Structure formats: structure tokens, C-alpha cells
């Protein structure tokens, strides 16, 4: 039985969503999700942020790590992660409902300096799944309530987001957030390399040079990179390149060979094989399918 706070959040969220898929909001870092019926697993990129499963559940695969986020749970990502997202509606008549809120690294760092963050310690994971506290659910309901009120949204939404970050820092996820913003921590150093890779994904840089960028030995870097992202540096780069190539094919009308070269592949045939393995169809067929889905919706 969901708590009153979670039930109220589900009601507020369902009132905002009239169709399946992702819905952008007037508050830039906030996105809303609704999915009914069977949903195929979706390769996608999760940026650093907070995901809340309000109704239904989702199974996430980051590399070889598998996570289950059920109704009434939240997820904090440790870095920008290519994942396989498998959404599971609660039932035929009860769709999956979810919320995504971008997290501001600078805001977290400022607040962590003046607060005693969560004391859970433990080890780093590519994602941290926690129970959604009623106070955070209530804050999210208040944020949803002012989305259609521009003046209130401009003045109150940043304060509500700050409240959510404070409650996260004081809760079980506080240690993870503090490590992410603590200069010199292994998580922080790997996260900076991940950010660099996202901007330079078409370059071929040896792992030893990435390790030097993080000021780590190659073996230590591989270990920490795997803990933060769920995969090796080479696996991460491959997955990210394929996601970027898919966006190029979908939005810029490139052919497969041109997209392959643009994202750093030297062999179009290797690109096509790895693309098909990840997305379930060769590049052009996959893009035609995506466009038909968009047109139908």
C-alpha cells in the first residue's frame, strides 16, 4: 500500500500526463514519464540526476550491473551513464509513472560545504537505489503544482530543488553526493574523465592516458571507472558513440557510413554490427522505425 505522500504524487503526476512517453515541463531540468502496455527495452543516456519511480517499475542495466527501481523508490546516478532501460507498467490499466530531475553539481557542492552529509559510507555504484522519503515526495508534488504558474515557478522552483538536495544530503544518499563533489575523491576524478569523454568521444585515447588524466594508475582507474559506470572505459566509449550515432541518423539525415565516421568508427561494417547488437536492427531500419513511432504519436 503506497504512503499518502506517494499516492498524492501519483495523482498529481497522472493529471499532468495525457500521453505516453517523455513530457518536458516549464522547469527545464524536470521531465515527466508515462508508459502503458508493453514497452521495449530502450538504450539511452542517463545524465547526472535523480530519477523517481512513482508507479510501476523499471529494470536498468549499466554495463553488467542490473538495478530494479520499484514504485516508491528513487535513483541517483553517479555519472552520465549509457544504460538499457526496461520499463514495466504496474498493470494494463495502471501505467508506469516516473519523474526525472537534473541535479546541479555546483549547488550540491555549496550545500555540502555547510552541511554534514549522509553517513552511509559504503562503496561506489553506478546507480544508487533508495526508498523515496515522504518529505521529498511532498516537495515534488509542490513542484508539479506550480508548473502552470510562471511567477511562482520562477521564484519557488529553485527553492524546492534546493530543499530536495538538502534532504538527499541528509539521507542515505548523502555520502554518494558528497563524494561526487569532493575534489580528489575517486568518484569525482572518474566523473571528470567521463565528462571529458562525452566531449571527445570521437577520439581514440589509450586507457593509460585517461588514467593519467584522473591521476590514477591504470589498474586503479579501471577499477574505479567500472564502479562508477558499471563498465570498462572502452565499453563506455563504444556505448556512448552508438547513442550519439543514433541521434545523428535520426536528426541530421546522415547515412550510416557518415555517422560511423563522425562518432569515431573507422570501419562502417563494424559500426553496423555493433549498432544492430545494441538497438536490435541495422542503422537505417532502426531509424525508419523510430520515425514511424514519432509520427504515430
Amino acid at each position: 500500500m503506497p504512503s499518502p505522500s506517494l499516492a498524492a504524487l501519483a495523482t498529481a503526476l497522472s493529471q499532468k500526463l495525457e500521453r505516453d512517453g517523455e513530457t518536458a515541463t516549464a522547469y527545464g531540468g524536470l521531465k515527466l514519464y508515462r508508459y502503458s502496455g508493453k514497452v521495449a527495452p530502450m538504450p539511452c543516456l542517463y545524465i547526472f540526476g535523480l530519477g523517481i519511480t512513482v508507479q510501476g517499475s523499471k529494470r536498468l542495466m549499466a554495463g553488467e550491473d542490473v538495478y530494479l527501481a520499484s514504485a516508491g523508490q528513487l535513483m541517483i546516478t553517479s555519472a552520465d551513464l549509457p544504460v538499457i532501460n526496461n520499463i514495466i507498467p504496474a498493470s494494463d490499466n495502471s501505467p508506469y509513472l516516473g519523474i526525472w530531475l537534473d541535479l546541479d553539481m555546483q549547488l550540491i557542492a555549496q550545500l555540502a560545504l555547510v552541511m554534514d552529509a549522509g553517513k552511509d559510507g559504503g562503496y561506489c555504484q553506478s546507480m544508487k537505489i533508495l526508498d523515496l522519503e515522504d518529505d521529498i515526495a511532498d516537495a515534488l508534488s509542490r513542484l508539479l503544482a506550480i508548473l502552470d504558474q510562471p511567477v511562482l515557478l520562477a521564484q519557488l522552483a529553485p527553492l524546492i530543488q534546493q530543499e530536495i538536495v538538502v534532504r538527499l544530503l541528509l539521507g542515505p544518499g548523502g555520502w554518494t553526493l558528497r563524494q561526487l563533489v569532493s575534489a580528489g575523491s575517486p568518484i569525482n576524478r572518474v566523473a571528470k574523465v567521463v565528462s571529458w569523454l562525452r566531449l571527445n568521444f570521437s577520439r581514440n585515447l589509450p586507457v593509460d592516458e585517461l588514467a593519467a588524466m584522473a591521476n590514477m594508475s591504470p589498474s586503479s582507474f579501471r577499477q574505479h571507472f567500472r564502479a562508477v559506470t558499471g563498465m570498462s572505459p572502452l565499453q563506455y566509449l563504444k556505448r556512448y558513440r552508438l547513442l550519439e550515432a543514433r541521434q545523428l541518423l535520426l536528426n541530421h539525415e546522415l547515412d550510416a557510413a557518415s555517422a560511423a565516421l563522425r562518432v569515431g568508427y573507422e570501419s562502417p561494417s563494424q559500426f553496423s554490427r555493433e549498432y544492430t547488437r545494441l538497438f536490435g536492427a541495422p542503422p537505417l531500419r532502426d531509424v525508419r522505425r523510430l520515425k514511424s513511432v514519432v509520427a504515430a504519436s
Side-chain angles (χ1 to χ4, degrees):
M1 189 75 179
S3 71
S5 294
L6 181 61
L9 180 59
T11 299
L13 184 54
S14 62
Q15 291 172 349
K16 296 288 183 183
L17 296 171
E18 298 179 350
R19 59 176 179 80
D20 277 8
E22 177 184 286
T23 297
T25 71
Y27 190 56
L30 180 72
K31 298 181 180 65
L32 312 178
Y33 298 88
R34 178 187 188 276
Y35 291 98
S36 57
K38 186 176 181 180
V39 184
M42 297 178 289
C44 58
L45 183 75
Y46 272 21
I47 63 172
F48 173 56
L50 178 69
I52 299 95
T53 301
V54 179
Q55 188 169 276
S57 63
K58 60 182 176 182
R59 187 177 294 106
L60 299 153
M61 179 177 290
E64 297 177 357
D65 296 338
V66 179
Y67 300 89
L68 179 66
S70 301
Q73 290 187 310
L74 62 81
M75 170 198 68
I76 302 172
T77 58
S78 298
D80 298 335
L81 297 175
V83 302
I84 306 295
N85 187 10
N86 188 10
I87 289 173
I88 308 165
S91 69
D92 290 341
N93 298 318
S94 185
Y96 170 90
L97 298 175
I99 297 173
W100 180 267
L101 182 64
D102 291 346
L103 291 177
D104 184 335
M105 193 78 76
Q106 185 175 356
L107 174 63
I108 294 169
Q110 291 171 347
L111 293 171
L113 281 176
V114 296
M115 292 174 56
D116 182 19
K119 303 178 178 64
D120 60 291
Y123 59 95
C124 177
Q125 296 173 283
S126 51
M127 298 181 188
K128 195 163 187 74
I129 307 293
L130 303 166
D131 289 336
L132 176 64
E133 297 177 357
D134 286 344
D135 289 333
I136 294 179
D138 293 339
L140 290 166
S141 291
R142 284 187 272 117
L143 183 56
L144 293 178
I146 60 173
L147 285 176
D148 299 325
Q149 303 175 67
V151 175
L152 289 178
L153 187 67
Q155 298 300 318
L156 297 181
L159 299 178
I160 294 174
Q161 182 164 18
Q162 181 171 326
E163 175 190 348
I164 290 171
V165 171
V166 168
R167 294 188 182 282
L168 289 172
L169 281 168
L170 291 174
W175 181 87
T176 296
L177 292 176
R178 181 179 285 276
Q179 291 299 303
L180 279 166
V181 300
S182 295
S185 73
I187 301 176
N188 180 264
R189 283 183 278 168
V190 168
K192 288 182 177 179
V193 173
V194 168
S195 295
W196 186 91
L197 282 173
R198 284 195 62 192
L199 295 174
N200 300 274
F201 59 85
S202 63
R203 295 177 57 181
N204 290 313
L205 199 65
V207 173
D208 287 4
E209 292 187 35
L210 295 175
M213 194 182 299
N215 196 24
M216 296 179 180
S217 69
S219 60
S220 179
F221 175 72
R222 287 187 180 90
Q223 178 183 352
H224 287 296
F225 194 98
R226 171 70 175 75
V228 171
T229 67
M231 61 196 85
S232 72
L234 294 179
Q235 287 173 322
Y236 181 96
L237 187 58
K238 180 191 296 185
R239 184 71 58 84
Y240 188 78
R241 282 175 170 175
L242 292 171
L243 287 168
E244 283 293 320
R246 196 186 207 194
Q247 291 301 313
L248 288 172
L249 290 165
L250 186 61
N251 299 319
H252 296 281
E253 304 293 337
L254 295 181
D255 58 72
S258 298
L261 292 173
R262 185 82 65 90
V263 301
Y265 274 86
E266 296 179 357
S267 167
S269 60
Q270 180 186 1
F271 166 75
S272 184
R273 287 194 302 272
E274 293 181 353
Y275 188 104
T276 303
R277 191 176 302 126
L278 179 61
F279 297 115
L284 296 184
R285 190 193 308 166
D286 175 59
V287 170
R288 283 197 297 269
R289 180 183 61 81
L290 286 174
K291 288 182 176 180
S292 67
V293 170
V294 172
S297 62

